Amino acid sequence: MYVGILSHFHNREEKKVEGFAGDLMPKIYRWVFKNEKDPQTTDKIQQLYGLPRVVAEILSSKVGAEEVNAFLNPTLKDLHSPFLLKGIKEAKELIQKHVYLHNRITIYGDYDVDGITATSVLYMTLKKLGANVDYYIPERLTEGYGINEEAIDKIASQGSKLIVTVDCGITSVEEVKRAKTLGMDVIITDHHSVPKKIPEANVVINPHLPDIKYPFCDLAGVGVAFKLCEALIGKEAYEFLDIVAIGTIADIVPLIGENRVIVKEGLKVLNKTNNMGLKALIKVSGIENMLIDEYHVGFILAPRFNAAGRLKSAEAGVRLLISENEKEAQEIAEYLNNENATRQQIESRILQEAIKKVEESIDLKNEKVIVLWDENWHPGVIGIVASRITERYFRPSILISLNEGGGKGSARSIEGFNLYNALDYCKDYLIKYGGHEMAAGIIIDKNNIEAFKREINKYADNILTEIDLIPVIKIDASVKNDKIDIETAKKIQMFKPFGNSNPRPTFLLDNLTVSKVFSLDGDKHIKIIAQKNKNFYELMLFDAKEEKDKIKVGSVIDVVGSIELNSWNGIESVVINVKDIKTKPPLLFYYKSLGEMLTEYRIKENDKYTKSAVIIDRRGIRNKCEYVLKLFKENSKTVVLVNTVVQMKSLIRYLKRERFVDFSLCSRYCEKDKAIIFLPNYLKSLNYYDNIVFYDIPFKKEIFYNIVSMCEGKKIHLIFGPDDIYYNLKSFEEIFPERKDFVKLYRFIEEGNTILFKDYMYHQLDLNPVKSLFCINAMKEIGLINVKESDNIFMLSKNSVSKKVNIEQTRVMRQILLTKKEFIEFAKFIVSQKF
């Protein structure tokens, strides 16, 4: 069971480094709902396409009602004509000229997966045209990214007359000028941001050129190369869609529009590929008999192409894709697989060393940017490790590989911190820098590292708040009344391929009750069976060893996760792949409702009940449970109103012991013939019932008198007694703060804790969350603390108060004390008053 989803998880080699699974610091996430959906669009999509509400809701945030079919079912017909892309026609004509003249053509690529795949598809296309073609991939460690003049000289010396760049070249003004002086024509195909001055090449193709009219501008480098291939050989280029899809996924471009078509159709080709190199790589990667999707490409195949370029030369990746020799393809695939394993070992070592440095030498409370350096770190791998460090500590991180006198660094960021701007602020300490908002690279003098570290943290102090350093889970939709079944899960799978700008939807399922808990893979993973209403859900928590003791049968939980389809022996099932889980304190809903009722319920009571109501006074009877059971067994409609936890549990236990289950337990008004309503706090008439039973004492006299006054002609049974007051007061104690509770909160802040999670207050403070809220509001009102709210977070700081303060004089505390006083007076009266 769960082989499909477990194997899917175990192959996540690029997500977690071996030896660190389950070792990541436990995170507390901010749960943030994405932008509000347009309910009218949701309604229209639901009606037109017969989709579950939750599916229609997500679609409405992505596309208009008229675009749904194109989004869910993209086809090759949705590809745009390549000739709409400026420069394609001229590039085709120039290439055909050089092919006709039998001139040598060199494709100049890049060492990442996008560059490797772009080089390969254009090479094979030109071979189909009978071209005299070769390729050049620069070395990452010695040449760096893009065109360099030494390479241009080398290409010219080998007799090339035309250079076609792929995935690079848009900034290479001087290098293109050099190529032209050496008598070569140059075609640039690129997809990176266009600078103010572009090279004077014969043709420049880039969907981001300012005067472009192409319908889709977010193509990867391989996507731009593919459009050129389409122009050159027409639909024959579609046979390369498997390779184009790999480069598109690996480059993390938005998987919408034309990219969505390329990847969706490309994955179909990939799963039945005739490319010898891909077949060999799929086999050595251990995914030969799987249905390969965007995940397998992004985290299993792509890293193997990247590995060679990170450690040595990426040229092996191109040779694999263009090989027509089965033995050669197998050898290269094994080489790339081994290089990837070596890369993983190096990465694992560096990651362990980096974590040790963070734990021993970084003050995470004061340093918002992590800067680490070492002489033994491989410069081709530090970018991946920087990503791991950022993921682990949720801070921008910069790792520097030192050499003689200097260092080469890779940086990764978090949302809200523009790395390029930060490096620009610190440029006086850098030899060279470049990149974009989320990833960048630097070259730095060894003697400037400490000063650079101070300066970038100084910059970060002005940009990042503490709340920015808390990781976010963005929620697409809340599962309310929808039943998440196999058909719903299949509809969600139609959103694939998932990726940038089209992430796998994340759902909130709240107030689930845990029925069963199972440990898997030696306690490494957890499976939970949980119930909401009459729906059961299977939840999977991966690398969740630390959660095992927190989740018990009977626990009430909220979970955020994705909806997956699992298949085992031909049987399909729905699994929620949990991203985060929150275990609620016991009876949280009860205490929240009680707190709201006690402080907000302000309806003037009707203290004279209807004369025609029949009051049956059985106050103080010995066996209240037996009395209720007798009423339930009668042929009449009976509702029992229970206010305290102890009394409710006692009644339920008795009914179960007597094997009577023909009743409904409700948390608000309901019309069931035999009902127990727990903590009634409404004014709605109970005229549906023949018998209304006050099992214990209501917390508010207004509730008692208003219910009685609206039950004209009904039988009102009073079966509470003086002893019941004790249980009401125990409920008060759970939520009403005492001096020691205020001291606990104030010390929490004094110890440097400034973030309090609303859903984790019970765990952080060891206080009832309702009591914690009363404390916060009272201390804020009197000026002891400052409080800011964001999402599910309180940001707290203490104030200096010069004069002595009395918390009991705050509006919050006065209201609480008054409510308690009023209850005691009412309770004494109601147990002794004659009816």
Side-chain angles (χ1 to χ4, degrees), residues 800-817:
S800 296
V801 180
S802 56
K803 58 182 180 180
K804 191 174 182 180
V805 296
N806 185 351
I807 288 182
E808 288 190 1
Q809 292 306 308
T810 60
R811 183 192 60 79
V812 175
M813 289 302 294
R814 288 202 312 269
Q815 178 65 60
I816 288 172
L817 293 172

Side-chain angles (χ1 to χ4, degrees), residues 590-808:
Y590 170 78
Y591 289 118
K592 276 187 175 181
S593 299
L594 178 59
E596 290 169 3
M597 180 177 68
L598 294 176
T599 57
E600 297 175 15
Y601 197 103
R602 277 293 167 267
I603 304 296
K604 188 178 186 304
E605 79 274 10
N606 182 347
D607 55 7
K608 292 183 180 180
Y609 54 86
T610 306
K611 292 182 179 179
S612 58
V614 179
I615 300 297
I616 301 174
D617 188 2
R618 300 301 304 275
R619 287 172 295 172
I621 62 171
R622 293 184 59 186
N623 197 330
K624 297 194 296 183
C625 298
E626 184 180 356
Y627 188 89
V628 169
L629 180 59
K630 183 178 178 181
L631 286 175
F632 275 166
K633 287 182 175 180
E634 292 177 1
N635 187 23
S636 58
K637 297 173 183 176
T638 298
V639 61
V640 181
L641 309 178
V642 187
N643 291 276
T644 61
V645 175
V646 173
Q647 300 276 25
M648 186 272 289
K649 287 183 175 179
S650 173
L651 176 58
I652 298 298
R653 278 197 302 268
Y654 175 84
L655 294 174
K656 287 184 176 179
R657 190 166 61 246
E658 295 297 317
R659 298 180 181 177
F660 185 84
V661 294
D662 184 23
F663 66 92
S664 298
L665 180 61
C666 310
S667 59
R668 55 182 60 86
Y669 177 80
C670 61
E671 292 189 356
K672 306 290 184 180
D673 286 2
K674 303 177 193 312
I676 299 172
I677 300 181
F678 188 36
L679 194 65
N681 57 357
Y682 50 83
L683 293 178
K684 192 165 183 177
S685 170
L686 295 174
N687 280 320
Y688 175 81
Y689 296 98
D690 303 309
N691 300 294
I692 297 97
V693 181
F694 280 95
Y695 192 82
D696 55 4
I697 304 170
F699 285 98
K700 302 282 286 186
K701 61 181 178 179
E702 298 97 327
I703 293 175
F704 176 78
Y705 286 120
N706 277 293
I707 288 177
V708 170
S709 68
M710 287 190 284
C711 295
E712 186 175 352
K714 304 299 179 180
K715 293 178 181 178
I716 307 293
H717 301 256
L718 309 181
I719 63 173
F720 49 76
D723 292 344
D724 293 329
I725 300 175
Y726 171 79
Y727 298 115
N728 290 84
L729 293 176
K730 289 293 289 183
S731 297
F732 276 115
E733 289 176 13
E734 285 294 324
I735 62 172
F736 282 8
E738 301 176 49
R739 184 180 181 280
K740 63 180 180 180
D741 302 317
F742 290 106
V743 171
K744 180 179 282 191
L745 176 60
Y746 198 73
R747 284 180 179 168
F748 174 83
I749 301 170
E750 277 191 320
E751 290 167 1
N753 301 296
T754 57
I755 301 294
L756 189 61
F757 288 80
K758 295 177 186 177
D759 298 311
Y760 279 91
M761 288 192 290
Y762 177 74
H763 306 287
Q764 287 180 276
L765 296 173
D766 192 27
L767 286 178
N768 184 292
V770 180
K771 182 183 286 189
S772 300
L773 281 173
F774 284 145
C775 288
I776 289 169
N777 290 332
M779 293 171 73
K780 176 186 176 183
E781 182 184 335
I782 210 164
L784 280 174
I785 62 173
N786 296 313
V787 182
K788 292 182 181 178
E789 293 186 52
S790 177
D791 304 318
N792 59 327
I793 291 171
F794 286 121
M795 291 166 285
L796 309 175
S797 60
K798 65 175 185 174
N799 277 331
S800 296
V801 180
S802 56
K803 58 182 180 180
K804 191 174 182 180
V805 296
N806 185 351
I807 288 182
E808 288 190 1

